Each structure stands twice: as C-alpha cells, then as structure tokens.
Amino acid sequence: MHASELNYCVEPTDGRWTVSFCHSPHGIFDRRVDAIRSALSDADRVERMGHKVTVIVARPANAPDLAQRVLRPTH
C-alpha cells in the first residue's frame, strides 16, 4: 500500500470555520471546536488506512496572541 503525508486545515472563513483537505473545502462549521473535532475524526480514519496525517488549525482572527496549532490524530 502506498502511504502519503496528508494535511487537514481548519481555517476561518467569513465568520465560520472551514475544514479543507487536498486544497478542497470539506465542511463548514459555526464553531472552531466543531471543525477541529471533525478534522481529527476524519484524520484518524485516514491514518488507520496507513497515511501520515496532520491537522493544522489556524488561530482565530480576534486572537492575535494565539498560535497556529498542529495536531496529530490519536487512535
């Protein structure tokens, strides 16, 4: 099986949060935490198929002191 390094991105978009995968949006959420949960859930599924997966979470625009986060799914 061929394994790839894949990234999910959680980013603010027009007051909501978008989960992107392979440069395509795959979900829009009202809350950042819901977008993170969705991205981690799918990343966990994809990682169990043998891929290396990272979830990159952008900081909210109104929180300049909050850093971008990089998360790894856990089984």
Side-chain angles (χ1 to χ4, degrees), residues 3-19:
S4 301
E5 292 190 24
L6 306 171
N7 291 325
Y8 283 79
C9 297
V10 177
E11 305 166 305
T13 307
D14 298 326
R16 299 175 82 189
W17 290 88
T18 302
V19 175

Side-chain angles (χ1 to χ4, degrees), residues 23-58:
H23 307 290
S24 297
H26 288 278
I28 298 174
F29 301 86
D30 290 327
R31 297 182 330 148
R32 181 176 184 246
V33 67
D34 294 332
I36 293 170
R37 286 180 182 146
S38 176
L40 284 172
S41 175
D42 201 48
D44 183 54
R45 178 187 65 83
V46 171
E47 192 169 75
R48 280 186 269 124
M49 294 189 307
H51 302 284
K52 181 179 177 186
V53 183
T54 303
V55 177
I56 301 166
V57 183

Side-chain angles (χ1 to χ4, degrees), residues 49-75:
M49 294 189 307
H51 302 284
K52 181 179 177 186
V53 183
T54 303
V55 177
I56 301 166
V57 183
R59 65 178 172 79
N62 61 349
D65 295 336
L66 185 62
Q68 170 180 292
R69 296 182 68 190
V70 177
L71 307 171
R72 299 279 313 190
T74 57
H75 306 291

